[in-house]
Amino acid sequence: MNKASRLFCPALITPKNAVVKQSEQLSRSQKLLTELGLVKSGSNGTYQIMPVAQRSVDKLIDLVQRNMQQAGGQKITLPILTPTGLWKKTGRLEGDISEFYMVRDRSGKQFLMSPTHEEAVTAMLATTSPISYRQLPLRLYQIGPKFRDELKTRFGLMRAKEFLMKDMYSFDVSEETARETYSTVSAAYDRLFKQLEVPFVKVNAATGIMGGSVSHEYHYVSPVGEDTLLQCSSCGYAGNSEVLEGQTVSPASCPSCKSLDLREVRGVEVAHTFLLGDKYSKPLGATFLNTSGKPQPLVMGCYGIGITRIIAASLEVLSTEQELHWPRLLAPYDVCLIGPKQGSKEQPAAELIENELLLNVGELCGHQELLHDDRKELTIGKRLLEAKRLGHPLTIVVGAKAVQQDSPKLEVHLSKGEKLELDLSEALKLVSEHSQYKNSLLNGSFHRDEEESRSQSVGHQL
């Protein structure tokens, strides 16, 4: 069982009247995560993730993997170090590589600390014994650290020099089947972002340094976003302003329906998909044997999700200035149980109820999803304040009202600030309903459809 007294959660204590010098720009999520001891700064642009936040990261990884496997993905692990010679073959070494880390081994050979792995995975297939068309499509993904020498790190995990990312690479026999793969993986992305229940927008995007013919970005709308998005209120079309300004149609009108009702919002990019064609397979010699037994270049796609960026950006969108609010599937714990204070007159009777709850709540939501705040030397009020700031979906308090003779009640606090007074069976029913709703999200039963989610997201922020 998870006990609050055993948690390593090094909260940031700032003395009263202290003058705090900020080395970088803070966002709401970064401030809360740091103050509450969920994330610590390692150095400029790098972050140490503490146990409570790591639970959220692990839950997101599990959710991403579930969706990637449903899309036919197979998990691999590629080396972080990629020989620069591969990037030279594809021409990307001649582009703007100022954000990339380069290292040399003792023999002088140069490597990239990979910001992405298109060259590496394509070279892997190029050196594999002949691949038959019968083995395709092939969808390979990994989850691991990526590196970018950001000129200006800010907003904590949203713009860091080292970050956690899921990257998938697909290989097909033709442009047609590659587009089918693109649709399949895009549908998995849409499903993932609906499961997270954070309003998002999916926009047409520039292919940039990655290349290819088709590209889409997934954004959370937030004032701290670095991308400017244009959203049409008439038809729901959304696009990155860079793309719209590069087209013949004036960005003052919607490219889809020609409506003039375009609104400008800021977006945090949390995922990106590309249809790459043979941009990498041709120069690196990655081929398959077609039905005639002749070698033919593989047709590729790539699909990225910022794991740590989603954590930070979702908290940025959902939280208040004082309290974290997590996506339901990513909350570190489902339930926090707070028992009576040590030495209080209600302690003996209340602890009987507390122990019964520990057993029953754990069985309903899973014992690993229950946090027992056993620090009874602290007042209920102090523990409750901390629980609210940490954003637990349900916090159950076993206090004086739980042992009153006429109508014993438990205090149940919801993450959005609502307070309920329930008897034992009602509280357990609420826990059960919460767990059932989580399962419905995992199984693909969503509260609202995608278009409604997108339109509400932009409308809510404007």
Side-chain angles (χ1 to χ4, degrees), residues 181-198:
T181 288
Y182 191 87
S183 295
T184 298
V185 180
S186 294
Y189 272 42
D190 293 344
R191 182 172 60 245
L192 168 71
F193 283 105
K194 285 193 286 184
Q195 287 172 316
L196 292 175
E197 296 187 300
V198 181

Side-chain angles (χ1 to χ4, degrees), residues 228-233 237-265:
T228 302
L229 311 178
L230 293 174
Q231 173 88 9
C232 177
S233 299
Y237 174 90
N240 193 307
S241 63
E242 289 181 2
V243 176
L244 295 180
E245 288 167 4
Q247 297 173 347
T248 54
V249 179
S250 166
S253 65
C254 175
S256 179
C257 71
K258 305 302 185 286
S259 167
L260 299 179
D261 197 5
L262 282 180
R263 299 188 178 189
E264 190 175 284
V265 294

Side-chain angles (χ1 to χ4, degrees), residues 64-75:
V64 168
Q65 293 196 142
R66 176 191 289 248
N67 281 286
M68 290 304 95
Q69 287 161 9
Q70 284 185 35
Q74 300 180 65
K75 190 176 183 182

Side-chain angles (χ1 to χ4, degrees), residues 361-379:
V361 171
E363 289 178 348
L364 287 172
C365 70
H367 290 283
Q368 281 303 310
E369 295 299 326
L370 171 61
L371 176 65
H372 181 207
D373 196 334
D374 59 334
R375 300 170 299 168
K376 296 187 176 182
E377 71 279 6
L378 302 178
T379 65

Side-chain angles (χ1 to χ4, degrees), residues 49-84:
I49 298 174
M50 299 297 104
V52 174
Q54 186 64 49
R55 289 178 60 88
S56 182
V57 172
D58 290 343
K59 288 183 178 185
L60 180 54
I61 288 173
D62 287 343
L63 187 62
V64 168
Q65 293 196 142
R66 176 191 289 248
N67 281 286
M68 290 304 95
Q69 287 161 9
Q70 284 185 35
Q74 300 180 65
K75 190 176 183 182
I76 60 172
T77 299
L78 295 168
I80 288 171
L81 298 178
T82 298
T84 53

